Amino acid sequence: MDKFLIRGGKPLKGTVKISGAKNSALPCLAATLLTAETVTLHNVPYVKDLITQRRLLEDLGATVLTPELHTQKIRAANIEIYEAPYELVKTMRASVLALGPLLARFGQAKVSLPGGCAIGTRPIDLHLKAFEQLGATISLESGDVVARAPKGRLTGAETFFEKVSVTGTENVLMAASLAKGKTTIHNAAREPEIEDLAELLNKMGAKIVGAGTETITIEGVESLGAAEHTIIPDRIETGTFIIAAAITGGELEIQNCQPQHLAAVIEKLREVGVEIEERGQNTLFVKCCKNGLQSKDVTTEPHPRFPTDMQAQYMALMTQAEGTAAVVETIFENRFMHVGELIRMGANIQISGNTAIVKGKTNLMGAPILASDLRASASLVLAGLAAAGETLIDRVYHIDRGYETIVKKLNEIGADIERITENLTMSAE
Ligand code: EPZ
């Protein structure tokens, strides 16, 4: 397993370009299953999860061409099977996004029920309940979810989500696009990735109104067609690099981002003392921090409030702030895996239920630590950048799922980080 070796204490300085959003590219790739025509997607991030999603589409029978690294041309004309197998789903839960499109276009789908993962059990009961509201029959057959549309086609309906679910909303958005009649999704997720998916679907001929709000209406159509679409920038990568500049006391120009997609993050970071200037539509300038950092509480909530995917990174920053910050995680039941590792580096954090109390400022010391999930890994990299001495992070395959060439991007802005691969060679990527 690869490791990262980080020599910390260097302020980051320079310019970094943000990649396409992993959590938009994943549903957009799944949406190509809804048509036999070619869909071209630009700004697809070159990260492990998208390689997995591409493999799933090819296993189902789609043709995927990559004319250049960040562009994918997908043609799902000859889909032979309607099943996402366990060996794929267990590596990436987002494979469940194949359910809605396969069920909508072919009237059947079989997807291995995803197990839990490090951050929680993460069931898909709300997805399945919504499909039943659209007329599907759902059964569980030796670990697989088997979904069928009795008359070969789903029927539009009022669907209600008891809890906000991002991929649940996306699955229903895709399924309802080809259903007979009108669907309304109540208590829909409002993430920018939902809007991006709806924009692609409408380019393909869908009739979706209200994406980005809690109520989305979809007029089902007979078929969907070709489209070309550019994936939005990754708002979580953007937030991660803002904190990278802040935690190292550096200054960074962040290009190809979309600041309005992380307004709550920017507001909170300004509150703690990070200087963040918007330069034009797609560039941020970050500087930190003439008056040091102040501890501020945060609670994770569905968009447009502070995202759970930034919780671990924010916690790393709070170890460098003066005072006490309460970090409350309300979305996932086990998203504090990074805490033990930060404590190994000298952080002062106490967990009580879904709240972590961070006392700062503590001087972090480099240490050998373990990554456990995607965003926890990012938090550990940030801590390593700020720590004195060497930090060796193991199991960095977690971070490769969602951050494109992070070693290269960090080295280009003054960090000292190397990837140590299995055969012990070092590369700066
Ligand atoms: C998406 O996961 C993201 N993944 C996650 O990002 C993100 O953390 C999460 O949304 C919340 O914003 C992708 O978009 C691929 P949910 P998702 O359904 O859709 C519960 C990352 O780091 N729930 O919004 O799986 C669930 O257990 C990843 O990039 C049910 O109970 O999250 C959780 O507590 C991590 N039943 C809450 O709802 C369901 O059927 C929110 O989950 C579905 C969800």
Side-chain angles (χ1 to χ4, degrees):
M1 274 180 235
D2 287 6
K3 297 178 173 66
F4 284 168
L5 177 62
I6 302 172
R7 294 177 189 86
K10 297 166 182 58
L12 299 187
K13 201 170 170 65
T15 300
V16 66
K17 291 188 189 322
I18 298 301
S19 299
K22 160 181 92 81
N23 290 349
S24 178
L26 286 168
C28 287
L29 247 73
T32 65
L33 292 167
L34 288 162
T35 177
E37 296 181 33
T38 299
V39 178
T40 301
L41 298 173
H42 300 288
N43 202 31
V44 176
Y46 186 63
V47 296
K48 196 162 174 307
D49 273 5
L50 269 299
I51 294 164
T52 306
Q53 191 79 322
R54 170 184 174 147
R55 226 187 87 208
L56 171 60
L57 295 181
E58 289 171 330
D59 288 357
L60 296 173
T63 305
V64 183
L65 302 175
T66 307
E68 62 92 18
L69 185 63
H70 298 113
T71 293
Q72 311 246 337
K73 290 173 91 78
I74 299 127
R75 188 156 181 272
N78 309 312
I79 298 297
E80 290 124 15
I81 59 171
Y82 314 119
E83 178 178 347
Y86 179 62
E87 57 274 6
L88 259 184
V89 176
K90 75 180 178 189
T91 63
M92 187 185 65
R93 312 170 31 73
S95 322
V96 294
L97 286 166
L99 255 177
L102 290 172
L103 181 57
R105 184 168 162 218
F106 302 104
Q108 58 179 306
K110 188 177 187 180
V111 170
S112 170
L113 193 61
C117 73
I119 62 178
T121 52
R122 300 182 71 185
I124 60 165
D125 56 314
L126 302 177
H127 299 230
L128 304 180
K129 190 171 165 203
F131 288 139
E132 287 176 328
Q133 288 163 346
L134 294 175
T137 55
I138 304 284
S139 57
L140 191 54
E141 297 169 19
S142 49
D144 290 333
V145 169
V146 181
R148 286 189 185 79
K151 307 182 193 76
R153 189 178 182 193
L154 297 171
T155 310
E158 299 288 322
T159 62
F160 298 83
F161 277 92
E162 294 145 41
K163 276 172 87 170
V164 170
S165 168
V166 175
T167 49
T169 302
E170 290 163 349
N171 241 333
V172 176
L173 207 48
M174 292 186 281
S177 297
L178 288 178
K180 185 173 173 31
K182 178 180 173 181
T183 296
T184 302
I185 305 176
H186 298 279
N187 199 24
R190 299 172 52 189
E191 272 70 4
E193 292 78 28
I194 306 277
E195 292 185 76
D196 205 29
L197 173 62
E199 192 179 321
L200 167 63
L201 290 168
N202 283 340
K203 284 179 181 174
M204 292 167 69
K207 293 188 171 59
I208 299 167
V209 175
T213 75
E214 59 191 15
T215 306
I216 307 175
T217 56
I218 306 105
E219 285 294 344
V221 295
E222 292 300 317
S223 66
L224 293 170
E228 188 156 3
H229 182 69
T230 298
I231 302 290
I232 55 173
D234 194 309
R235 61 193 167 98
I236 305 302
E237 185 190 19
T238 306
T240 304
F241 273 102
I242 295 175
I243 292 183
I247 205 169
T248 58
E251 49 184 74
L252 204 50
E253 183 176 80
I254 302 174
Q255 297 180 345
N256 299 357
C257 64
Q258 213 146 342
Q260 73 270 25
H261 289 168
L262 61 153
V265 173
I266 290 171
E267 182 189 346
K268 178 57 70 177
L269 293 176
R270 281 175 173 152
E271 226 183 281
V272 307
V274 185
E275 297 158 58
I276 304 173
E277 183 195 332
E278 296 188 28
R279 288 184 176 170
Q281 291 293 315
N282 304 107
T283 301
L284 288 171
F285 184 72
V286 182
K287 197 167 175 345
C288 198
C289 296
K290 61 175 176 287
N291 305 321
L293 290 162
Q294 285 75 43
S295 301
K296 294 286 179 190
D297 297 351
V298 76
T299 298
T300 66
E301 296 177 273
H303 194 78
R305 292 181 292 279
F306 194 93
T308 173
D309 288 352
M310 280 301 300
Q311 177 258 107
Q313 300 93 310
Y314 181 79
M315 192 184 294
L317 185 66
M318 284 301 100
T319 67
Q320 301 309 296
E322 293 296 342
T324 300
V327 179
V328 183
E329 171 58 55
T330 70
I331 306 294
F332 290 107
E333 67 265 30
N334 186 34
R335 205 170 197 176
F336 285 150
M337 307 283 277
H338 43 288
V339 170
E341 303 306 304
L342 293 173
I343 290 171
R344 279 177 53 74
M345 297 175 75
N348 179 344
I349 307 172
Q350 286 177 322
I351 296 178
S352 159
N354 70 340
T355 300
I357 304 292
V358 187
K359 284 190 172 41
K361 171 180 168 105
T362 52
N363 293 323
L364 298 178
M365 299 153 289
I369 51 180
L370 216 47
S372 55
D373 59 86
L374 172 55
R375 305 305 172 183
S377 321
S379 164
L380 301 183
V381 169
L382 294 170
L385 293 172
E390 292 190 347
T391 298
L392 187 63
I393 307 177
D394 198 355
R395 300 186 186 167
V396 292
Y397 60 86
H398 289 292
I399 205 162
D400 291 331
R401 298 187 52 171
Y403 287 90
E404 180 171 335
T405 63
I406 188 162
V407 170
K408 181 169 176 288
K409 287 187 180 183
L410 285 172
N411 279 327
E412 284 172 352
I413 52 177
D416 180 347
I417 173 171
E418 285 163 306
R419 178 187 291 268
I420 301 173
T421 53
E422 280 296 347
N423 50 1
L424 293 184
T425 55
M426 290 197 184
S427 71
E429 227 159 44

